[in-house]
């Protein structure tokens, strides 16, 4: 049985106690700490690195500054982002929360059946990730065996295998211009204009793709090899040989600065 450590961030101490009281009934859930405002909550997450964060995003006390913006801030410091479960009184912010790829959206007061469903969802996700990793390994082995063999000195581009109901689609990472989030799936945009949909979140691809892929927005990961222009004033990146403009957000501005810096280190002349 897998255990999930958690932190509760809620401006209402009553809300903290109510959520903890329900969670205490599950041996799989291990309480670490709680906080009542944005700053303390962020510090606790960075210190304890919990598996789960129960987060209030519509606080009674506006001075607590609790909101979905906390999730953006986590991307500045952590490679692995905790699974965020929204706990709030209203349904109004559910759509916004989905854009931040939260794991669940629970209405307060949290009920026992809510956590039963949450744990089942987490266990199912863990099983699917294990299966996906095994399938990816098999796909990569197949792709390697099918590909022409180059001399050992030549490095090979990573091959992604998008598997769906017995259909194996092989994509070389060097052909990917950018990836776009679409709820719980991701649209992979290729340099030839084709789009392939993978039923994994953008967060998943952020974890498995390394340089030259870099996240610039909650909804976009870009291959910097396909960036033809960066306009800081308009907060957009232009994709080579297309009319596509990708927005980048303030929370990922450091990644944009990194792209500019890396390009400048190559065969480069600034005029």
């Amino acid at each position: 049985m897998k255990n999930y450590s958690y932190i509760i961030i809620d401006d209402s101490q009553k809300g903290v106690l109510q959520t903890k009281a329900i969670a205490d009934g599950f041996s799989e859930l291990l309480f670490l700490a709680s906080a009542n405002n944005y700053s303390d909550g962020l510090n606790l997450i960075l210190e304890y690195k919990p598996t789960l964060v129960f987060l209030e995003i519509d606080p009674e006390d506006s001075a607590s500054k609790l909101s979905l913006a906390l999730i953006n801030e986590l991307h500045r410091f952590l490679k692995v982002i905790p699974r965020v479960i929204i706990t709030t009184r209203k349904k109004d912010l559910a759509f916004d929360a989905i854009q931040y790829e939260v794991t669940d959206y629970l209405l307060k007061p949290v009920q026992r059946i809510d956590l039963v469903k949450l744990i089942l969802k987490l266990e199912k996700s863990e099983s699917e990730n294990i299966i996906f990793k095994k399938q990816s390994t098999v796909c990569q082995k197949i792709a390697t065996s099918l590909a022409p063999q180059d001399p050992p000195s030549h490095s090979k581009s990573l091959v992604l295998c998008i598997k769906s109901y017995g259909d194996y689609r092989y994509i070389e990472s060097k052909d990917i211009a950018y990836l776009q989030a679409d709820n719980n799936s991701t649209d992979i945009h290729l340099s030839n204009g084709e789009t392939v949909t993978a039923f994994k979140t953008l967060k998943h691809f952020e974890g498995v793709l390394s340089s030259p892929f870099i996240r610039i927005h909650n909804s976009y990961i870009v291959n910097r090899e396909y960036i033809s222009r960066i306009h800081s004033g308009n907060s957009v990146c232009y994709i080579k040989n297309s009319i596509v403009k990708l927005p980048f957000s303030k929370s990922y501005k450091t990644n944009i600065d990194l792209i500019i810096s890396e390009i400048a280190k190559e065969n480069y002349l600034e005029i």
Side-chain angles (χ1 to χ4, degrees):
M1 179 184 297
K2 183 175 176 60
N3 292 325
Y4 303 95
S5 60
Y6 71 94
I7 284 174
I8 302 174
I9 305 176
D10 193 327
D11 65 307
S12 165
Q13 189 59 25
K14 178 181 178 182
V16 171
L17 295 176
Q18 286 178 334
T19 300
K20 184 177 183 298
I22 297 297
D24 282 345
F26 296 85
S27 58
E28 299 93 334
L29 300 178
L30 305 177
F31 177 72
L32 296 177
S34 66
N36 301 119
N37 60 66
Y38 180 104
S39 179
D40 291 345
L42 175 62
N43 291 340
L44 285 179
I45 294 172
L46 298 183
E47 179 180 356
Y48 288 101
K49 297 182 177 63
T51 308
L52 310 175
V53 175
F54 291 92
L55 174 64
E56 169 63 81
I57 57 172
D58 185 26
E60 297 176 7
D61 179 9
S62 59
S64 68
K65 298 183 180 179
L66 294 181
S67 71
L68 289 165
L70 177 62
I71 300 175
N72 272 348
E73 190 70 6
L74 295 178
H75 285 281
R76 293 183 56 202
F77 301 101
L78 300 176
K79 290 184 177 179
V80 179
I81 307 300
R83 293 177 177 267
V84 178
I85 298 93
I86 302 303
T87 56
T88 191
R89 296 159 295 166
K90 304 175 184 177
K91 298 180 180 179
D92 302 2
L93 298 173
F95 180 77
D96 291 337
I98 290 173
Q99 306 308 305
Y100 283 78
E101 300 180 6
V102 301
T103 297
D104 216 334
Y105 191 97
L106 307 180
L107 294 180
K108 294 164 68 175
V110 176
Q111 304 297 315
R112 177 177 173 80
I113 189 60
D114 293 330
L115 296 192
V116 170
K117 292 177 180 178
L118 171 63
I119 291 172
L120 290 174
K121 185 185 296 185
L122 292 171
E123 291 175 345
K124 181 174 182 289
S125 177
E126 293 287 342
S127 298
E128 288 177 344
N129 283 338
I130 292 173
I131 293 173
F132 178 80
K133 288 178 181 178
K134 289 181 179 178
Q135 291 174 340
S136 295
T137 300
V138 172
C139 288
Q140 289 182 24
K141 288 180 179 178
I142 294 173
T144 301
S145 66
L146 294 175
Q149 298 299 311
D150 291 332
S153 59
H154 293 177
S155 62
K156 296 289 291 181
S157 170
L158 173 68
V159 175
L160 300 185
C161 177
I162 309 301
K163 181 177 179 294
S164 176
Y165 302 105
D167 179 20
Y168 296 81
R169 172 64 187 271
Y170 303 109
I171 301 173
E172 289 197 53
S173 60
K174 67 181 179 62
D175 295 330
I176 299 173
Y178 66 97
L179 300 93
Q180 180 177 6
D182 184 8
N183 292 326
N184 289 323
S185 62
T186 298
D187 289 335
I188 302 173
H189 295 267
L190 306 182
S191 57
N192 63 4
E194 186 179 357
T195 300
V196 179
T197 298
F199 294 98
K200 288 290 178 181
T201 64
L202 195 67
K203 179 180 178 181
H204 172 82
F205 284 100
E206 183 181 19
V208 299
L209 293 176
S210 56
S211 180
F213 292 93
I214 190 164
R215 192 158 186 167
I216 61 170
H217 190 278
N218 278 330
S219 297
Y220 295 102
I221 292 174
V222 67
N223 181 344
R224 73 175 181 87
E225 302 296 334
Y226 286 93
I227 294 176
S228 62
R229 178 183 177 188
I230 296 175
H231 196 302
S232 297
N234 293 336
S235 297
V236 293
C237 293
Y238 292 73
I239 299 300
K240 289 180 181 177
N241 304 318
S242 75
I243 60 172
V244 175
K245 295 185 290 185
L246 303 182
F248 59 84
S249 54
K250 291 181 180 179
S251 55
Y252 291 101
K253 181 60 168 58
T254 53
N255 286 353
I256 294 296
D257 293 338
L258 177 62
I259 292 172
I260 294 172
S261 174
E262 288 181 343
I263 292 175
K265 291 177 182 178
E266 298 170 351
N267 193 9
Y268 173 83
L269 175 62
E270 188 170 302
I271 301 173

